[in-house]
Each structure stands twice: as structure tokens, then as C-alpha cells.
Amino acid sequence: MAQVFHRSSNMISRASILGALLFLGGLSCALWGITMSPWYTEQNVTRQQPVPFSHRHHAGELGIDCRYCHTSVDKSSFAGLPPTQTCMTCHSQIWTNASMLEPVRASYRTDQSISWTRVNALPDFVYFDHSIHVSKGIGCTTCHGPIAEMPLTYRAGTLYMSWCLECHRQPEKYVRPKAEVFNPFYKPPANQLELGRQLVKEYKIQSLQYCSTCHR
Amino acid sequence: MDSEGSQKIAVASAPEPLIGPGHTLETVTDKISSIVLTRGTTPGWVFGFAIAFCLLMLLNVVITLLMVYGVGIWGINIPVGWAFAITNFVWWIGIGHAGTLISAILLLLHQKWRTSINRFAEAMTIFAVMCAGMFPLLHMGRPWLFFYLMPYPNPMWLWPQFRSPLVWDVFAVSTYFTVSLLFWFVGLIPDLATLRDRAKNRAAQVIYGMLSMGWRGSAVHWSRYEFASLLLAGLATPLVVSVHTVVSFDFTIAIVPGWHSTIFPPYFVAGAIYSGFAMVLTLAIPIRKYYHLEDLVTMRHLNIMAKVMLATGIIVAYAYIVETFMAFYSANLYERYMMMNRMTGPYAVVYWALVACNLVIPQALWSGRVRRSIPALFLISLVVNVGMWLERFVIIVVSLHREFVPSKWDMFYPTRWDWATYVGTIGLFFTLFYLFIRFLPMISIVEVRSLVHETNEEKLHSKLHS
């Protein structure tokens, strides 16, 4: 009786076992790569906005305090988006004819809010409160990145839960003196860990990691 | 007097043969392989397969509805959040245990009677675990997120809750499935090679050839085969005990009266083997009749399985009695109420049906006449299957529906989709089983051949000595 398979099938079957392992390994790496890529997380990806608002110019070069526009950041869960009137406090006086600002003036005339594209939006199943973070010494730039250097705003973190937990597990690595919270140019000192531990104690920061802390 | 007595003992202890008379190595191979290769697709097979396949399609419908509408199509609600799905899960996984017991523990104990039933008992295990595994996944409500159950590196920096028995269950069941599948497949390899060599058409040669992984029957192959079988038997042996123990932890770790009990692990394992042997009988009796395998699956096999069923049934009965006793002995208001509610509450009919099915009716197996009557055995095996399903229903639903606070009490009524899911998995099970008996040797050719060889050797020896 003739052989069912050619001799080469031995090699093929062995290679296919190795190939299957490599394929599975490669697939896992590829999936992880996609999960962590800016294409999927939108980290570091700038968004188109109705008006090309520059945080670098306003918060960096001009030195306008974060709270001038985001008024409720230290009182409420939501930092607040400024109404057009806030823009017009200055722009009724300067750059009054700039074509770039026409949507702002149109909004002011018609009383229709500018519809900004949300850059940092947490899912609805996450409870997040700006005020507690700000009043316990977590600076704006800790989560929002080098906002004073962003001509157009992008998301600085992945917004993954691991990203939240990084700080919730070790707040001493990120906490800063309360006076520096709104300083967009703050650089952590060399003795951050030492200072951080001291601040954690002083501000009574709890390392909250219960599920129900954020998923209420 | 003395000689008469010893004669009687000799007559009683002379075992019936495990294999019909006149079998040689060749006839065994012919008989078993011809079912797959030459008998072809018979009308009886098509009829049975069609019914099973229709039920499988019903399962498809249910799963689709479940994906669209969620678990609300079932009758579950708080307080009875676990009902049919978990009952079916425990029932199916319990059924699987007989296969593992037969193939692993009895192999290590050198029980020769296992040889002609182990193959389809193992197949039963695998298909039953597949049916079982579906229920927790479907019951999650969002089955597509099933991978949350596994510890894998993830951007949430989150492990499963390792203190939860539900996570242990994931490991227990997936290990069980993997080991059972490997064991089954390794055992199949020499038989697949036989089918490859005997197959006449090219497609069968290629498929069986690929599955037999180049088996040539060399001494090295045999030695590795034996070693692998032994290793896998060693791996599977603790699983016979551990898997259902972990399943019982799903209940015992919770503080619900009726669940929170230390007797559960041994009680569940005994119940699993009990229901498993019942299922083996339910399957073996029609198969041996339809395929004329009475000389391979002999009356002695059925008799032994009936005895195992009786023995494990008694352990289960003991557990029921202890459970009842402990409820009253504990002097705990809730435990006592739980037991009274089982016996006299709204689900009392189910409880007494369970007692009848699992405790009372199987006692008929004490009688040798009943053990030798095929219709009686078949009926009792069905009754035990039903009884073991009712047992899980009583444990789960009747305990949950009235726990501590009366304001939380409520009834569970199954919807038509509850039944459809259950019947659908029976369809899945039998579809797979029909495919198995059509395309794979349902009795291990290799092991039965070695049994024939041993029997013939023994005969030869006794002839030489006499």
C-alpha cells in the first residue's frame, strides 16, 4: 500500500507546531501593541476644534491661571469649560477682527455655545472628581501633561485604569505642594519621593483602590 | 460440607468474561473499525442525529436571543440570581466525572473492565464539560467579556479576584477540559492509525492519517504512548476529586443557608460520579444494542457500573441525611428553616421527587435481577440523571429563594427559554456524541485487543497447568 503522506509531512508537521506557537505569540504582541498604541488610545493625538485654541499661548506665554477659564476645577467634579463671555473678556478688546476668532464672536452674537471637542473624557462608569485631586496636591499637568506647551490640545495619558492606578497606588511619586498645583511649568524636584511621602502624610492622602472608589 | 462450600465460593467468584467468546485480535479490530469505516451512515443514526441537531439549533436561537436581550429572558431575578444556568452547569460537569474516573483511576488500579467503556465515557466527559462550560459564560450576561475571568496582562492593571471560588472554578474547569481532551486524544492515536490503514477512500486516509500523527506502531511509539497515558492518568486522577470540590466551593464559600456547609466537597464528588455512571449507562445501553456490541460491553460491565452507581448513591444518601441532621443539630434558626422550607415549602414537590429519584428508586439495584435487567437499568439510569439535576435545583434555587430577610423572599419560575437552553445543551451533547460514534472508534481497539491477548494467555496457562 502506498504511503498516505510524503516524507516531507514530518517536517511540515513539526514546523506547523512551532509556527502555531510563534503565531500565537506574535498575535498576543500585536494585540498588546494595538491596545497601547495612540491609534487606539488617542494619547498624544491632537483634535480638530472649531477654534484652534492654544493652551501654549494662553496658559504658557500669557500666564493666564487655569482657574480663569476652568472655574469650577477646585470646587466641583467637573473642571468647567468657559462660556464664550470668558473669551470675550479679552477678545472684545484685542484681536477683535481676527478671522480665526469669528466662531467665537458668532457664538457671542447668537448666544450659541461653541461646541468644543472633548479631549479628556472618562467613560460614564467612572466617577471622577477634579476638586479632591486639586485640593490634595495633584497638579493639573500630572494628568493633563505639558499643557503650557500644547499649541493644540491633546490627551497626555491613555486614560486606562492602569494609568489611574499608577498614582492611586503610589501617590507619593506624583503629589506636589498645594501652592504649585496650578503651575503649568512645575518640575518635580530631585527628592520627589522624600517630599512626596511627607506631603502624603501632611495632606492625609489615602491610596484609594477600592472598586467602588471610582465605579460607584 | 467443606468441599461443597468451597465449590459454591468458586462458582460465585468465577467472574463472567469481560469479552464475548470467540474473539481474536482480528475480530475485535474488524468489529470496532467496521462501525466507522464500512457500516456507513445508517437511517437510525441519521434519525437520532437529526433530532439532536434540531435541539442544537434551538440552542443557537436561545444564545442569539440571550445576546440580544440579555439574561432577562430567563426567569432569574434577585434573590434567585442563579437558577437553571448554574444547575445545568453543575449537572453537566458532574456527568463528566464518571469518564475521568473510568479512564484515570481505574487505569491506575488496573481494572480491566474499564477497557471497553472508557473511550465513550471519556468522550462523554469532554462533551459534558463543553456543555457545562457554556453555562457560566452565558450566565455572565456579557459573554464576550469572558476573558476577564483569566489573569492576563491588561491595561486595567487588574487581576481576577483570586479569593473568589468562581475564579478557582475557571481554572478547575479549564484544566479539566484540557487534561481530559489530551487524555482522550492520546488514547485515540493508535486506533486512528488503525482506521487510517483500513480506510479505503483517500479523504479518510488523510484525515485519520493527520490525526494519528504519524503513528507506525514501533516499540518506541508504544513505550511513549504507555508513558504518556500513565502520566496523563496521574494528572487526571486528582481532577476527579478536585474539580467538583471546587464547584462545590462556589456554594460553600457563600454564607447562604443550604450552601454554607463543609460536607459539600465529598458530597458533590460522590454525586458527580453517581450521575456520571448513570449517564454512561444511559448511553451504553442503546449503543450496545444498536451496534450489536453485547459481546464487548457485556452484562458484567453493566452489572459493575450498576454497583458503582449503588455505592456512590449510598454516599449521596448519607450526605442528604447528614445535611438534614446538621440543620437541626446546628440549632441555627436559618439552617432549620432552610431544611423545613425544602421539605414543606413551595418547592417541596421537587425535593421529594429528588429523594425518590436519588435515594429510593436506585435501592432496587441491590437486587441482582434488577442489575441484570436491561430495561430496568436503563430506567434507573434515567431516573438518577433526573434526580441529580433536581438535587442541584434544590440546592441552588430553594436555598436562594428564601434566605435571611423575609422581605427578600421570592419565587423562581423557569421561562420557556430556561428550558430551551437546557434542552439545547442536551442537543449539543448528543450532536457531538452522534458525530463521535460515527467517525471515531467508540471502543478502544488497542485496549480491547490487549484484553483479548491477556485472556487467551490465561486460558493457555490454565490448560497447560491442568
Side-chain angles (χ1 to χ4, degrees), chain B residues 122-253:
Chain B
E122 280 170 43
M124 178 194 81
T125 297
I126 290 162
F127 305 149
V129 176
M130 285 162 83
C131 293
M134 291 179 68
F135 280 105
L137 298 185
L138 295 177
H139 192 253
M140 288 192 308
R142 290 191 288 171
W144 50 92
L145 298 178
F146 74 95
F147 54 87
Y148 278 23
L149 293 165
M150 304 301 290
Y152 70 105
N154 62 61
M156 293 173 289
W157 270 12
L158 210 57
W159 294 117
Q161 175 55 280
F162 285 114
R163 284 175 293 184
S164 162
L166 301 182
V167 171
W168 311 341
D169 225 17
V170 174
F171 290 107
V173 174
S174 53
T175 311
Y176 188 40
F177 182 70
T178 314
V179 173
S180 304
L181 189 68
L182 278 176
F183 200 7
W184 187 60
F185 180 67
V186 168
L188 267 169
I189 288 175
D191 285 3
L192 290 167
T194 305
L195 292 183
R196 172 199 63 195
D197 295 343
R198 293 190 155 225
K200 292 282 178 284
N201 77 57
R202 178 79 191 152
Q205 285 177 345
V206 170
I207 293 169
Y208 289 126
M210 273 158 74
L211 289 173
S212 59
M213 298 175 89
W215 178 270
R216 293 187 307 279
S218 75
V220 175
H221 284 184
W222 280 113
S223 126
R224 285 185 184 157
Y225 168 82
E226 294 286 343
F227 195 62
S229 298
L230 211 60
L231 274 183
L232 284 167
L235 275 176
T237 300
L239 291 176
V240 178
V241 183
S242 70
V243 175
H244 229 55
T245 299
V246 172
V247 170
S248 79
F249 286 164
D250 291 349
F251 304 101
T252 54
I253 303 291

Side-chain angles (χ1 to χ4, degrees), chain A:
Chain A
M1 199 181 80
Q3 288 293 324
V4 182
F5 295 99
H6 189 258
R7 274 184 94 80
S8 59
S9 358
N10 282 334
M11 194 58 220
I12 294 171
S13 57
R14 277 184 201 124
S16 63
I17 293 172
L18 186 69
L21 290 177
L22 287 177
F23 175 76
L24 287 178
L27 190 70
S28 320
C29 291
L31 283 176
W32 185 253
I34 291 172
T35 312
M36 298 314 285
S37 71
W39 175 79
Y40 187 70
T41 63
E42 295 171 355
Q43 188 186 14
N44 302 339
V45 176
T46 52
R47 298 294 192 81
Q48 285 302 312
Q49 301 286 1
V51 185
F53 177 83
S54 167
H55 274 98
R56 178 170 73 183
H57 179 62
H58 292 85
E61 291 161 11
L62 301 177
I64 300 173
D65 192 278
C66 307
R67 289 162 292 181
Y68 186 79
C69 301
H70 304 290
T71 48
S72 54
V73 70
D74 51 356
K75 302 179 213 57
S76 140
S77 62
F78 187 50
L81 279 170
T84 308
Q85 282 80 353
T86 308
C87 309
M88 293 303 277
T89 46
C90 297
H91 288 296
S92 61
Q93 308 299 321
I94 54 171
W95 298 105
T96 47
N97 288 321
S99 57
M100 203 188 265
L101 293 175
E102 179 49 31
V104 181
R105 290 191 296 269
S107 158
Y108 190 64
R109 278 197 304 275
T110 57
D111 214 19
Q112 292 280 309
S113 306
I114 302 170
S115 50
W116 300 101
T117 308
R118 210 53 207 271
V119 175
N120 288 282
L122 286 170
D124 287 349
F125 53 77
V126 182
Y127 175 81
F128 175 81
D129 192 310
H130 270 99
S131 64
I132 187 66
H133 290 85
V134 165
S135 46
K136 292 279 184 179
I138 300 301
C140 303
T141 53
T142 303
C143 300
H144 293 287
I147 193 80
E149 290 152 28
M150 294 184 195
L152 285 171
T153 313
Y154 55 84
R155 185 189 288 176
T158 56
L159 301 198
Y160 279 145
M161 197 167 118
S162 52
W163 176 74
C164 302
L165 283 174
E166 223 171 278
C167 185
H168 272 247
R169 286 185 185 167
Q170 292 173 302
E172 66 275 9
K173 279 165 99 175
Y174 299 94
V175 67
R176 58 174 86 167
K178 281 180 184 173
E180 300 289 346
V181 165
F182 298 102
N183 174 5
F185 297 108
Y186 179 79
K187 291 274 177 289
N191 63 341
Q192 169 64 36
L193 271 181
E194 194 187 319
L195 175 75
R197 284 200 195 96
Q198 186 196 326
L199 290 178
V200 164
K201 207 171 278 173
E202 194 183 325
Y203 297 159
K204 299 191 173 67
I205 294 173
Q206 303 167 47
S207 169
L208 291 177
Q209 292 172 50
Y210 303 110
C211 304
S212 57
T213 306
C214 310
H215 305 290
R216 299 189 161 188

